[in-house]
Amino acid sequence: MSLVIIGLLGGLITGISPCILPVLPVIFLSGGAESARTAEAGSPTVSRWRPYLVVLGLMTSFTLVTLLGSLLLGALGLPQSIIRWAGIALLVLIGIGLLVPALERVLERPFSWLPRREVSNRRNGFAVGLALGTVFVPCAGPVLAAIIVAGSTGRIGPGTVLLTVAFAVGVAVPLLLFALAGRGVVERIRAFRRRERGLRIAAGIAMLALAVGLVFNAPAALQRLVPDYTAPLQERFSEDDDVREALDLGGIVTDENRELSNCSNGADSLESCGTAPSLRGIEEWLNTDDGAAIALDDLRGEVVLIDFWAYSCINCQRSIPHVVAWDEAYRGSGLNVIGVHSPEYAFEKDPANVRAGAESFGITYPVALDNDLATWTNYRNQYWPAHYLIDAEGTVRHISFGEGNYAATEKLIRELLRDADATAELPAATDVADETPDDPGRTPETFLGWTKEHNYSGDAPYQAGDSEFSYPSDQPADSFALDGGWTLETQYANPTGASSGVRLAYTGSEVRVVLAGEGRVTARVDGADPETIDVSGTPRSYGLRKGDPQSGVIELRVGPGVQVYSFTFG
């Protein structure tokens, strides 16, 4: 029952998200409008079940492709994209059939032996749904990520099937309502009822437009242009502890990643931890020729370092200089560095934000946008940053979670490079200062979004929406409090007053705050004179304090237009 509810909720959120926009015209016209009773003379009868059959076809093909597509294509030795291209071709044929009835009759001929059965778009639309399901790529949250990993690795059991069907039903409900709305519009407007042929032509054009758009990846560009208005829902849903436990995110053991358990964290000698899991579900590649994807199998014979990171993560920010230095020093000696960007926040899914972050850190090696956490899950990873060192045979030989351990990791990089090429002349070891904090009592990362809050100190409830706050008279260590008017969102807090406040009682050597928007923040650090921070643009990290470890108090006065996401500590 938990899997059914999680699948339905995940599907419903996806079904109202921007990623379904490209298929809506086809659903509206072909699934809904064409099922309406029209009054054109000689107009054939169209099944009133058509909207349901179109959506059922989409659910059927989407479920089968998601669960079995990768396994079947892998067994047959076929490229993973062949199903998508077959779906696009079918859309083109059906679209042309709507415009040219003679072609529609040709499409029906192979099925003429079936009594009163047709595959045409006119009668039932099931074929339309089948085609849409093969090309329908929904926004992947935790539910779809778990399904994709299970389907890709063959870990398909009754629970996975149940979750997938529930997810498909959840996605289908909004689409079905949209199709029925299309039928209702046509039946209520007389001008539409007399233009059955015109509706067919419009549906055909919509299908052809969708097919052409898919060829040139236009839907992805459209989705990037439209703000993800479901992001708060998706964020709250994906971070629910019950959801993560039910889906076992970050800990799904498969035949592909089982031997990773053989590696101990931060070992100072090489270990053998099985063949490196593949890079799955990558939405986009940065710093490769024409955005070309990279497969680990193509890098056999060379050493590979995979770095899981997120651009606003302070731990990653201190680790990245070491990774950049290793890439610059050893690229010519056979080291391939791949940064897998697995977002912690919704704003970190934006390719433009990631690209800007990579440029600011001097990253020139390939970066894979793992927005659905598919590769993250495939590696059973749970840390930012995390380093996986792979030898020339494709075997994982070293894993290091979190910051630090850089000297040991570089020593093992050099050892693997010599193993791969005994004649290699390696440069001197890099010399990047290790700024890993050594104060274990430092304050943990502090989030102001209401779904991730864990150390709030105040009398007013910390809940979604607008509230008035005041500082407590006695604020505990390692906590934050608010003052004035605030709107609490899932990922950040937004001031509603002219000068709302945040007070932080911290312990650590470095304190940074993640801010976004347009406006001004005044920071008073440990009673010193206030300093002004001009905030502009997408979320990024701003430094507040850096020095010897200590405990103290920081107060921010936040002006209108600024969003406060979190505090991070070193």
Side-chain angles (χ1 to χ4, degrees):
M1 185 55 67
S2 295
L3 286 176
V4 170
I5 294 173
I6 290 170
L8 285 172
L9 289 176
L12 283 170
I13 294 172
T14 300
I16 61 174
S17 65
C19 61
I20 59 103
L21 294 177
V23 303
L24 287 186
V26 174
I27 294 289
F28 184 89
L29 290 166
S30 181
E34 276 216 82
S35 69
R37 295 185 178 92
T38 57
E40 182 178 317
S43 173
T45 301
V46 179
S47 172
R48 298 289 290 173
W49 289 97
R50 178 182 184 76
Y52 303 93
L53 292 168
V54 169
V55 173
L56 179 62
L58 187 150
M59 289 172 52
T60 301
S61 58
F62 169 76
T63 300
L64 293 177
V65 168
T66 304
L67 283 180
L68 302 176
S70 294
L71 291 177
L72 180 61
L73 294 175
L76 297 176
L78 298 174
Q80 292 288 321
S81 61
I82 192 171
I83 294 178
R84 177 177 180 270
W85 286 108
I88 292 174
L90 184 55
L91 279 177
V92 171
L93 288 175
I94 296 175
I96 296 176
L98 286 166
L99 301 176
V100 185
L103 176 61
E104 188 175 51
R105 290 191 289 271
V106 171
L107 293 175
E108 293 168 2
R109 251 175 229 165
F111 300 87
S112 59
W113 60 277
L114 293 172
R116 304 181 64 182
R117 292 289 186 271
E118 298 181 23
V119 295
S120 72
N121 185 63
R122 182 187 298 273
R123 289 292 181 189
N124 58 49
F126 189 70
V128 176
L130 289 176
L132 288 175
T134 61
V135 298
F136 178 52
V137 183
C139 305
V143 177
L144 189 55
I147 294 170
I148 290 173
V149 171
S152 299
T153 59
R155 187 177 176 269
I156 302 173
T160 306
V161 174
L162 193 63
L163 181 68
T164 306
V165 172
F167 180 83
V169 171
V171 172
V173 169
L175 295 179
L176 178 60
L177 294 176
F178 196 76
L180 293 175
R183 182 167 73 185
V185 168
V186 172
E187 289 186 341
R188 284 171 175 76
I189 300 178
R190 182 178 302 176
F192 285 155
R193 295 203 307 267
R194 298 184 179 277
R195 288 173 172 79
E196 186 267 348
R197 176 61 182 158
L199 290 175
R200 284 170 53 79
I201 292 174
I205 293 173
M207 284 191 197
L208 292 176
L210 176 60
V212 172
L214 288 167
V215 171
F216 293 100
N217 207 28
L222 173 64
Q223 292 167 29
R224 288 194 291 269
L225 290 174
V226 179
D228 187 359
Y229 42 80
T230 61
L233 281 174
Q234 189 69 269
E235 184 80 10
R236 181 180 178 186
F237 180 74
S238 63
E239 292 177 357
D240 184 271
D241 291 338
D242 292 334
V243 172
R244 296 187 66 84
E245 181 179 355
L247 298 179
D248 198 18
L249 291 179
I252 300 176
V253 179
T254 68
D255 290 339
E256 188 176 8
N257 62 30
R258 189 181 310 278
E259 292 186 59
L260 290 177
S261 300
N262 296 339
C263 270
S264 53
N265 176 30
D268 57 5
S269 60
L270 292 172
E271 300 172 313
S272 183
C273 314
T275 301
S278 59
L279 307 178
R280 298 189 183 277
I282 302 303
E283 180 177 302
E284 186 175 333
W285 284 86
L286 308 180
N287 299 337
T288 64
D289 294 337
D290 298 322
I294 295 175
L296 293 181
D297 287 346
D298 296 335
L299 299 179
R300 293 292 173 88
E302 299 186 10
V303 178
V304 178
L305 174 69
I306 294 179
D307 173 34
F308 284 92
W309 68 294
Y311 77 83
S312 73
C313 163
I314 187 172
N315 310 89
C316 300
Q317 292 171 14
R318 287 191 289 259
S319 171
I320 285 172
H322 297 270
V323 181
V324 169
W326 296 336
D327 172 63
E328 293 174 350
Y330 302 115
R331 182 183 296 191
S333 303
L335 177 66
N336 294 273
V337 177
I338 298 176
V340 177
H341 188 274
S342 300
E344 184 178 10
Y345 291 111
F347 63 75
E348 292 176 320
K349 295 183 179 182
D350 188 328
N353 290 351
V354 181
R355 186 177 291 106
E359 291 175 355
S360 68
F361 297 133
I363 294 174
T364 59
Y365 48 80
V367 174
L369 271 58
D370 183 32
N371 282 352
D372 303 332
L373 298 185
T375 295
W376 170 285
T377 305
N378 204 30
Y379 273 73
R380 295 162 51 200
N381 189 48
Q382 298 184 35
Y383 299 91
W384 288 279
H387 301 140
Y388 293 76
L389 188 56
I390 304 167
D391 67 16
E393 301 299 321
T395 301
V396 177
R397 303 297 302 277
H398 175 71
I399 297 176
S400 181
F401 296 133
E403 296 181 71
N405 199 47
Y406 303 118
T409 299
E410 183 170 9
K411 176 178 75 74
L412 299 180
I413 290 174
R414 297 172 67 89
E415 186 174 335
L416 288 182
L417 289 173
R418 290 194 185 95
D419 289 345
D421 182 2
T423 64
E425 294 186 5
L426 302 182
T430 61
D431 185 19
V432 177
D434 186 350
E435 297 186 355
T436 303
D438 56 4
D439 47 329
R442 67 182 182 273
T443 303
E445 190 168 8
T446 297
F447 300 93
L448 270 69
W450 70 271
T451 60
K452 300 179 73 172
E453 174 278 321
H454 63 87
N455 56 346
Y456 163 70
S457 174
D459 297 327
Y462 207 84
Q463 58 191 15
D466 296 342
S467 298
E468 288 289 330
F469 297 87
S470 59
Y471 290 143
S473 56
D474 184 15
Q475 184 172 334
D478 300 325
S479 70
F480 76 96
L482 300 180
D483 182 58
W486 289 87
T487 299
L488 304 184
E489 305 287 355
T490 58
Q491 298 185 67
Y492 59 84
N494 194 47
T496 58
S499 182
S500 300
V502 186
R503 190 168 69 189
L504 175 75
Y506 74 93
T507 298
S509 57
E510 183 178 6
V511 183
R512 302 183 69 87
V513 60
V514 177
L515 304 170
E518 299 286 339
R520 180 167 291 181
V521 173
T522 301
R524 183 184 293 273
V525 180
D526 299 327
D529 293 337
E531 297 184 2
T532 299
I533 302 172
D534 290 319
V535 180
S536 178
T538 56
R540 69 183 184 90
S541 178
Y542 295 81
L544 296 176
R545 180 197 184 275
K546 188 173 183 179
D548 294 333
Q550 68 174 43
S551 296
V553 175
I554 294 176
E555 183 177 353
L556 305 182
R557 305 307 298 185
V558 185
V562 176
Q563 295 93 49
V564 186
Y565 281 82
S566 65
F567 292 97
T568 56
F569 304 90

